[in-house]
Amino acid sequence: MDSTILLFLLQDGITNGALYGLLGITTVLVFAVTRIIFVPQGEFVTYGALTLALLDTGRVPGTVWLLIGFGVVAFFVELWMSRHDLDARRIIRETLTKIILPCLIALAVIWLAPMKLPPWANLLITLAIITPMGPYLYTIAFRPVAEASVLTLFIVAIGVHLSMQGLGLVFFGAEGLRATPLSTLSLPVGPLVVTGQTLSIYILTLVTMAALTYFFNKPLFGKALRATAINRLGARLVGIRTSLSGAIAFVLAAIIGALTGALSAPMTTIYYDTGFLIGLKGFIAAIIGSLASYPLTVIAALAVGVAEALASFYASQFKEVIVFTLIIPVLVWLSLSSHHVEEEEE
Amino acid sequence: MSNISTTSHPINATPAKSRRPLFFATLAIIIFLIPLIPGIPVYWITLLDNIGLAALVAIGLILLTGVGGMTSFGQATFCGFAAYTTAVLCAYHGMSPWLSLFIAVAVTMLAAIVLGIITVPLSGHFLPLGTLAWGIAIFYLFGKLDFLGRNDGITPVPPLSIGSYQFFDSRSIFYVIWVFVIIAVFMTSNLLDSRTGRAIRALRGASSAAESFGVDTTRTKLIVFVYAALLAAISGWLYAHMQRAVNPTPFGVGASIEYLFMAVAGGAGHPAAAIFGAAFVTLLKEILTRLLPFLFGGQAHFEEVVFGIVLVLILQKSRMGLWPLVERLLPQPADPVIDRSAPALSQRPQPEAGRKILDLKMVRKQFQGLVAVNDVSFSIKAGEIAGLIGPNGAGKSTTFNLVTGTLPLTSGEIRYLDERIDGLSPRQIAARGIARTFQHVKVLTDMSVLDNVALGAHLRGSAGVASASLRLDRKEEAQMLAEAARQIERVGLGEHMHKQAGSLALGQLRILEIARALCLDPSLLLLDEPAAGLRHFEKQQLSALLRQLRSEGMTVLLVEHDMGFVMDLTDHIVVLDFGTKIAEGTPAEVSKHPAVIQAYLGADA
C-alpha cells in the first residue's frame, strides 16, 4: 500500500468518524440529562437523510404524516399525565405545540416541496420536520418512565428503536435514496480532494462538541440539565423543571441526528435501517467516552472511523467484527478502572 | 456513575416459588396431552415447538436478568454457538446428534466462560452494552467464516433419530423439546430454592451484603451467565435439528432482543414465567404477521412497529411483566417446611475470653483530601461488648467498612486474632468469623425473612449448582433453614419468618440483619446502629440478646447513638471525632472525659 491509499483511507475514516462523533456526542448528551441510552438516535439520522432526499426530488416526505401522528399521540399522553391539574391555558398550550405546530409544518412542506428549492432550503425544511419529533417522542415513550432505572430506560429505548425503524420502512420503503450535495465546492489538498460536504461535517462536529462542552460546564442552564441527570428529585426540589430538561435534550438529539443524516445522504445511499448502523458506531464512541466526555467521544469516533476504513481495506470481510470487537477492551478497562459502585435497588 | 440513582430494574423479581409441585405437574401433563387432541392442526404444534425453543432461552434469561439483575443481549449468540457446532459435527462429520449435544453444550459453555469473564464484571449499564457489542461482532463472524458456510449457513443438518425412527415432523420433536423445557423449569426452580439460589438473588440489590457473608458475587454472576448459556445451547441444538439448517439470521441481536422481550413480558423471577413470556411474544408475532397485512393491505411492515410499542407499554404499565397477573390465579405456594430435627451446623470454637481479638494500629482512610479515619488505634478483647461512638461524621461506619474489608485502608494495619486482615476481601474476612450489619439496611425486600437470614449461613454450607438443581442438597438445605429459623426466633422475629422482608419496619429489618449475621456463626459481631428505630421495650430485648451472646463467648463491637443503651451495655468504649480517637476506656471513664463532653456538647458545656 502506498501513502496515497493510506491518505485516502484516513480521509474516508475521518469523515465517517466525524459523523459517528456527532451521534456519539448526542448519545452522551441524552444520557447525561435523562439517563437514557438513546438507541433510536440512528432513526433520526435515517429520517433526516430520507426526508432530504425526497425533498430533493420534489416529493412530500412521509415524515410529515409521522410528525402529525407523533404530535397527536404526544398531545393525548401529555393531557393524560397532567389530568389532575388541567386548565384551559395548558390545553391551549399543548394544542398549539403538539397539534397546530405539526399541522402548520406539514402544510408548509406540502406547499414548498414541489417547488424543488435549493439544497440549503431543503435542509432547513428537513430540520423543521424532524426536530419536533424529538420532544414528542420523549413525552410519549420516556416521560411516563422517567424515574425508572437505566436498564429499564435502555429496554424502552430499544422498543422505540424497533417501532421507529419499522415506521421508517413503512414510510420510506425498502429502497435506498441519495440526496444532492449541499455545496459543489471542492478543494484539492495534495492528492486528496476536500469537498464542501466533508468540510461542513468537520465544522459541524467541532462546533457541536465545543458548544456542548461549554454549555454543560458554564451557564446555569447547562448545570441545571446536568443536575437533572444526577438526581431528579433533588433537581426538582431546587426548582429545575426536569421534564423540560428531558425535552430539550431530545430537541438537540433530533436536530443533530437529522443534520447528520442530511449531511451523509449525499455521500452514501441511505436505507431505512442505515441510520441504526451509523448510530451504533456513534454509540461505540460514546461508550469509549464513558458516556461522559464530549471531546473523548469525538476522538474515539475518529478512531472508530479510521479503524473501520483500514479494516475495510485490509480485511473487508471482517470490518464489522473488528469495529464491534474494539469496544470490548475499552469496556473491560472502564469497568476495571472505575471504582465499583453498586447500583443498589432501594 | 456513582451519582445515578437507580430505583428499580426492568424486571422485578418476586421470590422464587417452586413449592407448587401439584400445579406444575398438572401443567406438564396438559402440555404433553396437547398433540394427542384429535384433529389438532400441525400448525399449532409447530407454534408450540417454537414456543418451547424460545422458552428454554427465556428461562435462562429470567434467571440472568429477572433474578440476577444482569441484562444480556447475547443469548441468541449462545444458541448460535451450539447450533453451528452441532451442524458442523453432524452435517460434515456424520456424528450422531445425541453425541454432538454434549459437544455443542461444552463449546457454548466454554464460549460463555470466556465472554462471561470479560462481561460479567462490567458494572451497571456497561454490562448489557458489552453483551450487545460481542453479540453483533459474533453475529457478523458467523456470516463471514468459510467453514460455517458464510451467509448461506449449513444445510442439510440431519434430524434427531432413535434407531431408525427420525424426529422429522413437528409432532414428534414436540416431545423432545418440551421434555427439555420441563426439565429446565424443574432444575431452575430447584436452583433458585437453594444456597446458590439465595446468592443469585442477592446479586441484585444486596451484592455488597452478600460479599460480607462470603458470597463470591463475581463467580456467582459467572455461574448464572454460564447456566443461561447452557439453556440457550440446548435450544440452539434443538433448533438446528428441527430446522435441519442453520444460518446467521436467527442468532443476531434482533433475536436476542426478542428473547429479552420475552423475559420482560414474562417478568417475575419464576422460570415458568419464561414459558408464558415466550408464548406471549411468539403468538403476538404470529398474529401480527398474519393479521396486520390483512388489515393494512399486503405490503405492510407493521410487526416491528407494534412490537416496539407493546414492549414500551409493558414497561410503562407493568414493570413486573405480565406473569404476576397470571400468578394471581394460581394457588398460593406453601411456606417452606422447617425441619427442626435437622442436625445443627458445625460451630467454630470461640477464642478464649480476654485475648486480643481485634487490633487496629494507626489505621487511616483518606478520600482524596478528606481524612475520614485519622491514624486510629484501639483493640478489643474477646468476650467483651465494645462501643464505637462519636458525633455524626466521626468515621465510625468508615472504620467498620475498613475492618470488614468493604473499603481498602490508606495506611495502618488491622489484626484479627494476631492475623493481619487488612487487604483481605470482605469474603475472606467473613470466612474468619467476622459478621456485620449495615447502617443502611441491606436486605432483599422481595425475599422472605427466612431466606434473607439463611443467606448469612452461606459459608457454612457447600452445595453448588449441580447438587441444587438436582435436589441433592436437601439435607444441607434443611440444616441451613433450621439454623436460620433458630436465629430468627432468637432475635424475636419468629412470627415474621415467612413474610417478605419488605413488609417489616425499619427497626425490625435491623434486627433481621443481626439474625443474618448470627447465622455466620461469628466470633466477632459488628453492629452498625442496631438500636436505631427500636422502641424502648425492643431495645431492652436487644440488650438482653447481646448480653447472652457475650456470655456465650461472642465479641461484639457496636456503633450506636443511644448513649443510655451504650453506657449500660458495653465494657469498653472508643470515642471518635472527625476521624480521630479522642478517648477510650470504660463507660464511666469515657462519660467523664473532657474531650468527649466537648465533642458532644460543645466547648462551653
Side-chain angles (χ1 to χ4, degrees), chain A residues 104-162:
Chain A
L104 286 179
I105 294 172
L107 283 175
V109 174
I110 292 166
W111 175 55
L112 291 170
M115 295 184 195
K116 289 207 178 187
L117 296 171
W120 62 265
N122 282 339
L123 177 64
L124 290 180
I125 296 175
T126 303
L127 292 183
I129 299 173
I130 308 297
T131 307
M133 286 187 191
Y136 295 162
L137 190 66
Y138 179 69
T139 305
I140 297 168
F142 295 102
R143 253 187 64 196
V145 286
E147 318 288 336
S149 69
V150 173
L151 288 178
T152 305
L153 292 170
F154 185 26
I155 299 179
V156 171
I158 284 176
V160 172
H161 152 69
L162 286 178

Side-chain angles (χ1 to χ4, degrees), chain B residues 370-382:
Chain B
L370 177 80
V371 183
V373 177
N374 188 4
D375 300 337
V376 169
S377 305
F378 65 87
S379 59
I380 296 171
K381 293 197 195 75

Side-chain angles (χ1 to χ4, degrees), chain B residues 140-465:
Chain B
Y140 280 113
L141 202 59
F142 285 147
K144 303 289 183 194
L145 290 176
D146 280 324
F147 76 100
L148 297 182
R150 295 170 164 266
N151 281 319
D152 299 328
I154 298 171
T155 181
V157 178
L160 297 177
S161 60
I162 293 178
S164 61
Y165 181 78
Q166 295 193 310
F167 293 84
F168 252 128
D169 61 352
S170 324
R171 219 175 272 266
S172 60
I173 204 164
F174 174 90
Y175 287 102
V176 185
I177 292 174
W178 282 92
V179 163
F180 274 111
V181 175
I182 301 281
I183 292 174
V185 170
F186 176 72
M187 288 181 54
T188 311
S189 308
N190 290 345
L191 178 60
L192 280 173
D193 185 28
S194 75
R195 173 178 175 268
T196 311
R198 281 186 293 271
I200 295 171
R201 283 187 271 166
L203 290 178
R204 241 183 60 176
S207 61
S208 64
E211 284 275 340
S212 299
F213 289 98
V215 177
D216 185 339
T217 51
T218 310
R219 186 165 163 272
T220 307
K221 281 180 177 177
L222 192 61
I223 288 173
V224 186
F225 193 76
V226 174
Y227 185 89
L230 176 141
L231 292 178
I234 293 172
S235 173
W237 172 81
L238 281 164
Y239 175 88
H241 294 290
M242 184 177 106
Q243 292 295 319
R244 313 206 44 224
V246 290
N247 66 66
T249 317
F251 311 123
V253 167
S256 285
I257 291 176
E258 226 164 74
Y259 292 129
L260 195 61
F261 189 3
M262 290 171 194
V264 171
H270 195 283
I275 301 180
F276 178 75
F280 176 80
V281 172
T282 311
L283 294 177
L284 179 68
K285 218 167 76 175
E286 197 61 27
I287 291 168
L288 290 179
T289 41
R290 290 181 159 258
L291 183 73
L292 289 177
F294 177 73
L295 289 179
F296 295 98
Q299 42 86 40
H301 305 278
F302 278 103
E303 310 98 72
E304 255 195 354
V305 182
V306 179
F307 230 64
I309 293 173
V310 173
L311 181 58
V312 173
L313 280 178
I314 289 178
L315 285 171
Q316 284 185 351
K317 299 296 168 200
S318 168
R319 234 171 278 168
M320 302 276 278
L322 304 173
W323 175 254
L325 308 178
V326 179
E327 195 166 47
R328 219 174 287 162
L329 308 173
L330 301 182
Q332 278 293 312
D335 288 333
V337 182
I338 291 156
D339 178 8
R340 305 278 173 177
S341 63
L345 296 165
S346 64
Q347 279 182 293
R348 77 181 84 233
Q350 295 294 4
E352 56 181 298
R355 186 178 165 193
K356 207 184 267 185
I357 189 167
L358 185 71
D359 190 19
L360 281 75
K361 276 203 190 97
M362 297 296 278
V363 168
R364 186 179 186 85
K365 180 65 192 177
Q366 230 169 307
F367 296 102
Q368 280 145 4
L370 177 80
V371 183
V373 177
N374 188 4
D375 300 337
V376 169
S377 305
F378 65 87
S379 59
I380 296 171
K381 293 197 195 75
E384 67 179 12
I385 298 181
L388 188 59
I389 64 170
N392 281 324
K396 306 180 297 288
S397 290
T398 310
T399 307
F400 262 37
N401 287 336
L402 295 175
V403 172
T404 53
T406 313
L407 286 174
L409 273 67
T410 307
S411 63
E413 64 175 70
I414 301 176
R415 285 176 187 274
Y416 172 71
L417 292 174
D418 300 328
E419 179 197 8
R420 259 189 94 153
I421 56 165
D422 54 277
L424 296 184
S425 69
R427 269 198 322 278
Q428 292 166 318
I429 291 174
R432 281 158 175 72
I434 302 180
R436 69 172 297 183
T437 66
F438 294 86
Q439 185 186 9
H440 301 288
V441 175
K442 290 183 194 290
V443 164
L444 283 157
T445 49
D446 51 11
M447 211 156 83
S448 73
V449 171
L450 182 69
D451 276 337
N452 265 298
V453 172
L455 181 67
H458 188 81
L459 283 171
R460 298 170 79 184
S462 60
V465 178

Side-chain angles (χ1 to χ4, degrees), chain B residues 530-570:
Chain B
L534 294 190
R535 282 169 285 191
H536 181 65
F537 172 65
E538 292 167 327
K539 282 183 186 173
Q540 285 178 325
Q541 273 186 323
L542 179 60
S543 283
L545 172 68
L546 296 182
R547 285 199 174 94
Q548 192 203 336
L549 291 173
R550 172 172 59 186
S551 71
E552 289 167 15
M554 201 179 287
T555 315
V556 181
L557 173 62
L558 54 92
V559 163
E560 186 49 63
H561 282 296
D562 182 335
M563 280 307 135
F565 184 82
V566 176
M567 294 295 165
D568 183 40
L569 184 64
T570 54

Side-chain angles (χ1 to χ4, degrees), chain B residues 480-502:
Chain B
M480 291 176 89
L481 289 185
E483 171 72 7
R486 247 192 311 275
Q487 301 300 353
I488 290 170
E489 279 156 3
R490 185 178 199 185
V491 299
L493 289 177
E495 57 182 306
H496 304 294
M497 194 177 303
H498 298 297
K499 288 187 188 160
Q500 286 206 350

